[in-house]
Amino acid sequence: DLIQLLDPIVRYDATTGLYKKYSQSSSEWVGLRPDDGIVEAQRIVQHVRKHQNHGRYTFNNQILAFLGSLPFDTGIAEKYENRLVRVKEEHEMIADEYIMLKTDLVVGLISGDEKRDEQIMKGFDVFSPPPDRKASKGDKLRSKQLKTAIQLSKEVQRPVELLMSLGIGGDSSSSSLSSDTVDITSLEKWIRSQAPGILLYEDDEKRNGEWKGQSVESQLRKMAWKPHTADSVVDMAGHWRNIEKKRKIRDSLIVASGVLVSFAGMVLLNK
């Protein structure tokens, strides 16, 4: 089925530790195979995008495709909307890829073993263009995004792990610690500020509309991930409080330095 190859993005499959292509239209993994199917799909993508940019329609049915090519409006686009073939622009797919890389890599780090770091770094091979093709702007941007996603996922892994331990079931003792050990609202806000767009909860999936079952929460549930015990949560909360303390000190220093610069400027102007 070529339709599922029209909008694939590269994602990290935390259950296997491999990078694979994922079809947004069919919500299925489609592998990384460089076969004739993908070549043909890319030809169709260019055709569909060209039509979209000129306000024309592409259908997955020959008769409808003929009617849609007529120089007058037949109204079939509205009547057979479920037959329309739509393809996102490249920059939209790259943006989707970035969001899911941040989400998937965090899941991989939380659920993985000591080999997970090595597996994650193999993404640079996946995102590199073949030897016979020069890297495009899109290739360079995607490689840059992967590097940033890996860095961010490592920074937020433990805070996300803490958040999930307090929020995904767990034993009642660890859940009851949430209000006493950590400000969950502050924790979530920090995670989202560090990794913008990350899908933490099922509610994030609903807001995005096309990522059902793909948030950190949903993926960990499907993997039967076990939340940390109460003692571990206390230790992780201490780690988070240290991060929060350092952040507040840094913010205070930034404000103080800004005040000093402003004051120095006023002194110089009054001389």
Side-chain angles (χ1 to χ4, degrees):
D1 188 359
L2 286 178
I3 297 297
Q4 68 178 359
L5 297 178
L6 298 183
D7 60 354
I9 60 172
V10 175
R11 290 183 54 190
Y12 179 76
D13 182 1
T15 60
T16 63
L18 300 173
Y19 287 88
K20 301 178 182 177
K21 283 194 174 181
Y22 180 86
S23 169
Q24 298 180 77
S25 57
S26 66
S27 300
E28 294 177 346
W29 296 100
V30 294
L32 281 171
R33 58 187 190 280
D35 58 17
D36 294 339
I38 286 183
V39 174
E40 174 65 11
Q42 289 306 305
R43 186 190 66 79
I44 295 174
V45 165
Q46 298 304 320
H47 173 78
V48 173
R49 283 180 179 157
K50 183 178 179 180
H51 273 224
Q52 288 176 171
N53 292 335
H54 289 83
R56 295 160 65 188
Y57 307 112
T58 304
F59 292 90
N60 61 357
N61 176 281
Q62 288 186 343
I63 296 176
L64 293 177
F66 168 74
L67 294 175
S69 66
L70 296 176
F72 52 86
D73 187 6
T74 60
I76 61 171
E78 293 76 17
K79 190 174 181 179
Y80 297 98
E81 187 176 0
N82 63 326
R83 288 287 195 170
L84 280 173
V85 177
R86 296 186 178 92
V87 176
K88 291 183 178 181
E89 295 298 326
E90 184 181 22
H91 68 89
E92 295 176 298
M93 294 178 67
I94 290 176
D96 287 343
E97 196 169 68
Y98 190 34
I99 288 174
M100 291 315 302
L101 278 173
K102 286 182 280 189
T103 302
D104 295 337
L105 290 172
V106 167
V107 175
L109 289 169
I110 291 175
S111 62
D113 53 26
E114 64 277 2
K115 295 181 180 178
R116 194 49 54 102
D117 279 356
E118 180 182 342
Q119 293 170 334
I120 285 174
M121 296 306 291
K122 290 181 179 178
F124 290 104
D125 296 330
V126 174
F127 281 91
S128 299
D132 60 343
R133 181 170 67 80
K134 185 179 179 181
S136 65
K137 289 183 179 179
D139 293 328
K140 293 176 181 177
L141 176 57
R142 294 169 77 216
S143 293
K144 183 179 179 181
Q145 285 187 166
L146 173 63
K147 182 179 180 180
T148 304
I150 291 175
Q151 178 185 343
L152 292 178
S153 62
K154 290 182 177 180
E155 290 176 1
V156 303
Q157 174 199 347
R158 287 181 64 82
V160 172
E161 206 165 350
L162 172 60
L163 188 66
M164 293 297 128
S165 290
L166 295 172
I168 299 183
D171 57 44
S172 57
S173 57
S174 64
S175 299
S176 64
L177 286 170
S178 59
S179 59
D180 299 326
T181 47
V182 65
D183 181 345
I184 293 181
T185 301
S186 176
L187 174 60
E188 181 183 335
K189 184 177 179 181
W190 181 87
I191 292 169
R192 293 189 187 281
S193 70
Q194 297 302 110
I198 187 173
L199 304 182
L200 290 173
Y201 302 121
E202 291 178 356
D203 284 346
D204 294 327
E205 302 168 12
K206 296 173 185 175
R207 282 193 290 272
N208 282 269
E210 57 188 358
W211 298 115
K212 185 177 180 180
Q214 305 305 315
S215 65
V216 174
E217 179 184 26
S218 293
Q219 289 193 57
L220 289 177
R221 282 188 190 280
K222 285 186 287 188
M223 297 168 73
W225 177 73
K226 299 295 183 183
H228 290 274
T229 62
D231 289 341
S232 295
V233 167
V234 170
D235 291 339
M236 293 172 71
H239 176 76
W240 157 247
R241 283 196 296 272
N242 286 335
I243 293 177
E244 184 74 345
K245 184 178 179 180
K246 290 178 181 178
R247 181 186 66 80
K248 289 179 178 178
I249 292 174
R250 183 198 64 208
D251 291 348
S252 298
L253 290 173
I254 291 173
V255 171
S257 62
V259 171
L260 287 173
V261 169
S262 298
F263 179 74
M266 290 175 63
V267 171
L268 290 172
L269 287 174
N270 291 328
K271 282 187 176 183

CSV table of all heavy atoms in Angstrom, one decimal, residues 65 113 128 137 261:
chain,number,residue,atom,x,y,z
A,65,ALA,N,-10.0,10.9,-9.9
A,65,ALA,CA,-8.8,11.7,-10.3
A,65,ALA,C,-9.1,12.4,-11.7
A,65,ALA,O,-8.7,13.6,-11.8
A,65,ALA,CB,-7.6,10.8,-10.5
A,113,ASP,N,18.2,-0.4,28.5
A,113,ASP,CA,19.2,-0.9,29.4
A,113,ASP,C,20.5,-0.1,29.1
A,113,ASP,O,20.5,0.9,28.4
A,113,ASP,CB,19.5,-2.4,29.1
A,113,ASP,CG,19.6,-2.7,27.6
A,113,ASP,OD1,20.1,-1.8,26.9
A,113,ASP,OD2,19.3,-3.8,27.2
A,128,SER,N,21.8,10.3,7.7
A,128,SER,CA,22.8,10.7,6.7
A,128,SER,C,22.3,10.3,5.3
A,128,SER,O,21.8,9.2,5.2
A,128,SER,CB,24.1,10.0,7.0
A,128,SER,OG,24.6,10.4,8.3
A,137,LYS,N,19.2,20.7,2.4
A,137,LYS,CA,18.9,21.5,3.6
A,137,LYS,C,18.1,20.7,4.6
A,137,LYS,O,18.3,20.9,5.8
A,137,LYS,CB,18.2,22.8,3.2
A,137,LYS,CG,19.1,23.8,2.5
A,137,LYS,CD,18.3,25.1,2.2
A,137,LYS,CE,19.2,26.1,1.5
A,137,LYS,NZ,18.4,27.4,1.1
A,261,VAL,N,23.9,46.1,35.0
A,261,VAL,CA,24.2,46.7,33.7
A,261,VAL,C,23.4,48.0,33.5
A,261,VAL,O,23.9,49.0,33.0
A,261,VAL,CB,23.9,45.7,32.6
A,261,VAL,CG1,24.0,46.4,31.2
A,261,VAL,CG2,24.9,44.5,32.7
